[in-house]
Amino acid sequence: VKIGVPENYDGIFPWYLAKLPNLPTNYSDLVLTGDDEGIFGVDAQFLYAIKPLDREKQPSYSLQQSFTVEVCVIDKNDNVPTFIEESMRGSVQLGLLKIPFMQVEAHDRDDRDTAHAELRFSLMEQTPRIPSSQMFCIDSITGEVSLTEEASTLDPEMCGRYKLSVMVKDMAGRTNAFFTTGIVTVEVTGNTWASPDPVRLQENLPGPYPIPISQVKWSGSQAEYSLDGEFPEMLFTISRDGVIYLNAPLDRETQDQFLISIVVERPDGRQIAKPVELRVMVGDANDNRPTFPQAQYHTVVKELAARGTDILTVQAADNDDPKTDNVRIFYRLVGQIPESPRALFRVDRDSGVISVQADSMEGTAPQYTLTITAEDAKLNSSCTVVVTVQDENNNPPVFSQHEYGPFHIPEDALVGTTVTAVLARDADVRGGDSWQVDYHLESGNEEDVFTLVTDRQTNEVSLVLSKLLDFERESEYILVLSAQNPVPLVRGRYGPLSTATVSIYVDDVNEGPVLSQSHYEVTVREGEEPGRVIATIRGYDPDSHPIYSLQGDTKKYFSIGKYSGELKTVHALDREENSTYTMEVIAVDGNSSLSASTLVTVQILDVNDNSPVLVGDYSWKYLCTPRWEDQALVLASRDSDGPQHGGRLNFSLRGDATVRHNWKLTPINTHTNLSLNIPYLPPEVYMVPFTISDSSSPPRSTFINLPCPCNIRGNCKIAAKPLQGMPTIQSAVGTLLGTFAVIIILIVIFVRLSYQNSKEPSKSSQERDPLNISI
């Protein structure tokens, strides 16, 4: 049985604690073992105590009889917390960060598993309060004492000892808690932790490595050191004693100084103080030769450049320290190719300016290669400078002779014929602008009869014919030719030697006639009276008068004047017979067989001189009566005139009211349909009168009287309905009489047709020839 009993009970005794199970009600002689002080007893199954219990003296009791009773004493907050040490002392070093430098410890006799023993520390007062009243702080749970931000002004010379009043409370620091105060004495000590002096190291130190270069020391608690900064790994290291080593040679051109941060930490990795810095400066050694930014330079100097003309500046760079003499560079000209003539160029020793040394560059080589060196105190390098001597236009072009010719050229020479080729020589460098020559015809070519073509590879100019010659107009040409360079002359001017005269004679040639047009187109109205001049063919022959003739006029409808070239009609022309005539006019030189020809096309203009006609044979066609729907006679017509006069033909019935009542004309595209206008006409041959008119103004028309049979024969019959039962006598007689009547009507029709056309034309001729008409 387990029983919980609070300590320090101050009530009435005996104090009944709990009823014990499995005991008779009258059982009171129970003896308990484990109760050395005789505190507990049993009365009528109840366990009691005769005095208060103290958990701090004995937290539990184990009472045994036939079973075990565990009595646990429940804690009360009846103990005051106390500091473990009466005299609490600590020391703090200058530069220490906000990390604990000592710990205040206290204990409470109450139960540690309850809030009764949950302690909280606080800093009540700091004495003295200089240079600030809040130099220290204490962790409320752990009791660790640290510096505050204001401790940066801590100075042992101003105050080397501080007394701190510290309080500890139980109950987690609640208002009803027990507390105790104590005094903590803090000694302020100096420290050797400070940034070491800067170190200056020469680059490329010979070693041996590692080389110690500086040292730091934390004078307080145990510490570990490490380095941080912008430098290659393991270039600098630090020992456990704070000695800093250099482990490899330095290169000032790579990095001329290092800022090394030295970190101090506790063995647990917590930083003790702010890092200090070591500045390492790298001294220069003359280990870099001067170098040019490029191995080869190209420049140009004019051949007329004066002595002292600057042509190029070369600059070398040295990576050594610019504050030392290691970067002082001197320049020298050590080579020239070709070597002759010497002393053409010089280079300034300090600035590297290359200039002309010779009085003149005329007559020198077109190109030179110079070797320039740059030297410092002990090292050097070189570059090459390619100098191109630029030709200048100081020589004008000169003709080898003052006059050329005379040259003879026939007047029938083709355009593009070369008359002659001449050359003006130039003493400047071949191929350059100063050597190139531009030729001009200054006079004698006002009509642009000739043109100049220059060969840029040789400077030779060709005089080329650009227009046809005419001896009768111009028989001689005197041309003044000049030669100049495309760029201005630098020295001198163009004189008589740069001008020449070319004489050209034109030789006479018998020329054939020339016609003014290669093709003539003429229009003539049909029916014009013969003898009218319809065109005049014009030709020219500088040597004689041309003679004209016609070819291709097989029907001899035209004539042409032998000397006048006038083209006339010999007969009246009919467009319907032939609408176009094409012939050739020949013009022959009177002194030779030379000739020229031109085509003449004569277009015959249409006149409305033909009336429209009906085309086709309609004698075998008929219309059914009674009227069949959509049955019609398709009537075709034509007009021999052109579309302007006979393009659209119009059909119209005669003005008789009976005709218009019985018949109907319907235009369909280029034809007209003739059909019955009423449902029924008696079977016989009817004359349908109508007129066909063309579309001219005024129009021409034709009157037609067309026979049109209306019958009930053949396909016009309608199938009879079947009779009911046997045929009767009346139906048989009716059928026989109807057949005889049809036969008689057909005989009459064929007799009348035979009478009108004694001879029946063939079907092909019926399609071509119109019916007999009256106009």
Side-chain angles (χ1 to χ4, degrees):
V1 178
K2 289 185 179 181
I3 301 172
V5 179
E7 67 174 336
N8 302 328
Y9 177 70
D10 58 354
I12 300 173
F13 291 95
W15 175 24
Y16 288 91
L17 303 179
K19 183 178 181 180
L20 298 176
N22 303 323
L23 290 178
T25 56
N26 59 354
Y27 185 81
S28 59
D29 190 16
L30 176 64
V31 179
L32 297 175
T33 62
D35 180 17
D36 297 336
E37 298 181 13
I39 299 173
F40 302 96
V42 177
D43 180 16
Q45 295 184 319
F46 284 92
L47 178 68
Y48 63 87
I50 60 175
K51 66 177 181 179
L53 303 179
D54 185 0
R55 192 201 68 82
E56 286 71 34
K57 182 178 180 180
Q58 187 171 346
S60 65
Y61 297 89
S62 180
L63 308 177
Q64 297 182 357
Q65 179 57 34
S66 59
F67 55 87
T68 301
V69 179
E70 293 285 345
V71 178
C72 299
V73 183
I74 301 172
D75 184 47
K76 284 188 175 182
N77 190 18
D78 56 350
N79 291 280
V80 178
T82 59
F83 290 103
I84 295 177
E85 297 179 3
E86 293 184 5
S87 179
M88 295 177 286
R89 291 182 174 273
S91 65
V92 61
Q93 294 80 33
L94 287 178
L96 188 70
L97 294 176
K98 294 192 304 178
I99 61 174
F101 61 86
M102 68 173 293
Q103 185 176 17
V104 175
E105 294 182 306
H107 67 88
D108 193 311
R109 294 179 63 202
D110 291 323
D111 189 356
R112 289 184 176 275
D113 295 330
T114 66
H116 302 154
E118 188 174 351
L119 305 182
R120 294 291 184 267
F121 299 91
S122 61
L123 183 59
M124 300 174 61
E125 187 178 9
Q126 165 196 313
T127 306
R129 298 190 174 202
I130 58 173
S132 171
S133 62
Q134 296 180 348
M135 305 283 287
F136 303 91
C137 64
I138 188 169
D139 189 289
S140 63
I141 297 176
T142 65
E144 293 177 330
V145 182
S146 309
L147 295 174
T148 65
E149 290 286 350
E150 298 183 11
S152 60
T153 59
L154 199 64
D155 185 358
E157 295 183 359
M158 179 184 298
C159 182
R161 179 180 294 173
Y162 291 88
K163 289 186 181 295
L164 308 179
S165 178
V166 181
M167 175 187 290
V168 60
K169 286 185 176 184
D170 61 10
M171 295 298 289
R174 298 173 188 169
T175 56
N176 60 345
F178 296 112
F179 64 90
T180 301
T181 61
I183 300 298
V184 177
T185 302
V186 179
E187 298 286 343
V188 180
T189 63
N191 201 345
T192 59
W193 185 250
S195 295
D197 294 333
V199 176
R200 185 176 183 84
L201 301 176
Q202 192 74 7
E203 67 175 331
N204 302 322
L205 288 175
Y209 292 91
I211 299 174
I213 60 175
S214 186
Q215 186 176 9
V216 293
K217 179 66 176 177
W218 175 259
S219 58
S221 58
Q222 185 181 359
E224 294 182 357
Y225 307 100
S226 62
L227 301 180
D228 192 13
E230 297 293 332
F231 54 85
E233 186 177 3
M234 299 305 293
L235 180 62
F236 298 98
T237 56
I238 187 169
S239 69
R240 299 176 67 88
D241 299 327
V243 179
I244 302 172
Y245 292 93
L246 172 67
N247 298 310
L250 300 176
D251 183 8
R252 190 202 67 83
E253 287 70 40
T254 302
Q255 190 167 348
D256 60 356
Q257 68 174 351
F258 300 89
L259 195 60
I260 303 173
S261 179
I262 307 168
V263 181
V264 60
E265 297 174 338
R266 287 182 177 182
D268 62 0
R270 297 181 67 181
Q271 192 171 341
I272 297 175
K274 292 183 178 180
V276 295
E277 292 183 342
L278 170 64
R279 184 180 297 275
V280 178
M281 294 171 289
V282 185
D284 185 46
N286 190 7
D287 58 345
N288 290 281
R289 67 179 66 251
T291 57
F292 291 96
Q294 56 194 76
Q296 190 176 79
Y297 294 84
H298 291 267
T299 187
V300 175
V301 61
K302 294 182 178 180
E303 69 171 326
L304 299 181
R307 181 187 182 93
T309 301
D310 295 341
I311 60 174
L312 181 67
T313 299
V314 291
Q315 292 285 332
D318 195 314
N319 288 330
D320 291 324
D321 190 352
K323 298 178 182 178
T324 66
D325 289 340
N326 295 335
V327 297
R328 188 175 181 185
I329 301 174
F330 302 98
Y331 301 92
R332 288 195 306 122
L333 175 60
V334 297
Q336 171 188 302
I337 299 174
E339 297 181 354
S340 179
R342 300 189 63 82
L344 288 177
F345 307 96
R346 67 177 296 274
V347 61
D348 186 81
R349 183 173 180 269
D350 297 314
S351 65
V353 175
I354 303 173
S355 58
V356 176
Q357 179 72 8
D359 293 332
S360 173
M361 297 295 295
E362 289 188 85
T364 60
Q367 191 176 82
Y368 290 89
T369 301
L370 310 180
T371 302
I372 309 294
T373 62
E375 305 170 350
D376 60 15
K378 64 176 183 179
L379 302 172
N380 67 74
S381 63
S382 63
C383 71
T384 58
V385 178
V386 179
V387 182
T388 301
V389 181
Q390 186 181 61
D391 180 48
E392 292 193 88
N393 192 16
N394 55 339
N395 294 288
V398 175
F399 288 103
S400 59
Q401 57 193 80
H402 185 62
E403 294 183 359
Y404 294 88
F407 300 99
H408 289 266
I409 182 170
E411 67 171 328
D412 60 352
L414 299 177
V415 171
T417 301
T418 299
V419 180
T420 185
V422 298
L423 174 66
R425 301 185 182 277
D426 194 298
D428 291 316
V429 175
R430 183 183 181 89
D433 290 342
S434 301
W435 175 81
Q436 295 286 349
V437 179
D438 289 340
Y439 296 93
H440 301 278
L441 288 174
E442 301 294 338
S443 62
N445 192 41
E446 287 74 14
E447 297 184 359
D448 298 326
V449 177
F450 303 94
T451 188
L452 300 175
V453 179
T454 305
D455 185 345
R456 290 300 179 184
Q457 302 298 320
T458 63
N459 266 349
E460 187 178 64
V461 64
S462 298
L463 186 65
V464 179
L465 185 65
S466 61
K467 290 184 178 181
L468 294 175
L469 298 173
D470 187 353
F471 172 82
E472 287 72 21
R473 184 176 179 183
E474 192 72 42
S475 61
E476 181 181 5
Y477 294 91
I478 305 298
L479 307 178
V480 177
L481 180 65
S482 67
Q484 295 182 1
N485 300 118
V487 296
L489 277 174
V490 177
R491 281 194 322 214
R493 60 181 182 177
Y494 297 103
L497 295 180
S498 298
T499 304
T501 302
V502 181
S503 300
I504 302 172
Y505 292 156
V506 180
D507 296 335
D508 187 25
V509 175
N510 184 27
E511 301 155 281
V514 178
L515 297 176
S516 60
Q517 295 178 222
S518 61
H519 186 200
Y520 289 81
E521 290 190 0
V522 182
T523 58
V524 179
R525 289 171 60 88
E526 66 175 330
E528 289 277 354
E529 294 183 1
R532 177 176 174 269
V533 177
I534 61 174
T536 300
I537 310 303
R538 301 191 181 278
Y540 168 77
D541 191 327
D543 302 311
S544 63
H545 198 284
I547 299 173
Y548 302 97
S549 62
L550 279 178
Q551 286 189 1
D553 180 18
T554 55
K555 294 186 178 181
K556 304 301 181 182
Y557 282 176
F558 303 92
S559 66
I560 191 169
K562 184 177 182 181
Y563 299 106
S564 66
E566 292 181 345
L567 184 65
K568 300 180 180 180
T569 57
V570 177
H571 302 283
L573 302 177
D574 184 3
R575 192 199 68 84
E576 285 71 37
E577 179 184 349
N578 194 358
S579 62
T580 302
Y581 295 88
T582 301
M583 64 202 81
E584 186 179 18
V585 175
I586 307 297
V588 181
D589 185 351
N591 298 327
S592 66
S593 60
L594 297 176
S595 64
S597 64
T598 183
L599 288 178
V600 179
T601 300
V602 180
Q603 300 286 348
I604 310 302
L605 298 180
D606 186 37
V607 174
N608 192 14
D609 56 350
N610 291 280
S611 298
V613 295
L614 190 67
V615 178
D617 179 16
Y618 303 94
S619 61
W620 57 276
K621 294 184 179 182
Y622 57 88
L623 292 176
C624 296
T625 182
R627 181 181 64 190
W628 279 21
E629 293 297 329
D630 299 329
Q631 186 192 20
L633 299 182
V634 180
L635 306 180
S637 60
R638 74 177 180 194
D639 192 316
S640 297
D641 292 320
Q644 180 182 359
H645 301 295
R648 179 181 177 84
L649 302 180
N650 302 313
F651 287 74
S652 59
L653 292 170
R654 192 177 64 184
D656 190 334
T658 301
V659 173
R660 293 183 178 276
H661 177 265
N662 295 340
W663 306 97
K664 179 173 65 174
L665 291 174
T666 306
I668 303 294
N669 295 328
T670 58
H671 298 75
T672 295
N673 287 351
L674 174 63
S675 60
L676 289 174
N677 197 30
I678 58 176
Y680 175 80
L681 281 177
E684 66 176 274
V685 177
Y686 294 88
M687 301 303 293
V688 181
F690 58 88
T691 302
I692 306 175
S693 303
D694 61 21
S695 56
S696 183
S697 181
R700 295 177 67 93
S701 59
T702 302
F703 177 75
I704 305 293
N705 208 6
L706 180 67
C708 181
C710 290
N711 58 42
I712 57 173
R713 68 179 180 180
N715 292 333
C716 290
K717 290 184 178 180
I718 300 175
K721 297 181 180 180
L723 298 176
Q724 298 293 331
M726 295 298 291
T728 62
I729 296 175
Q730 291 85 353
S731 63
V733 172
T735 301
L736 183 62
L737 293 176
T739 301
F740 284 142
V742 171
I743 293 173
I744 294 171
I745 291 172
L746 290 177
I747 292 172
V748 172
I749 291 172
F750 282 117
V751 170
R752 293 190 63 181
L753 289 177
S754 299
Y755 178 77
Q756 291 179 357
N757 299 284
S758 59
K759 183 179 181 182
E760 182 178 354
S762 67
K763 191 170 185 179
S764 60
S765 63
Q766 289 173 356
E767 293 293 336
R768 293 194 305 267
D769 297 335
L771 298 175
N772 292 329
I773 57 175
S774 59
I775 299 176

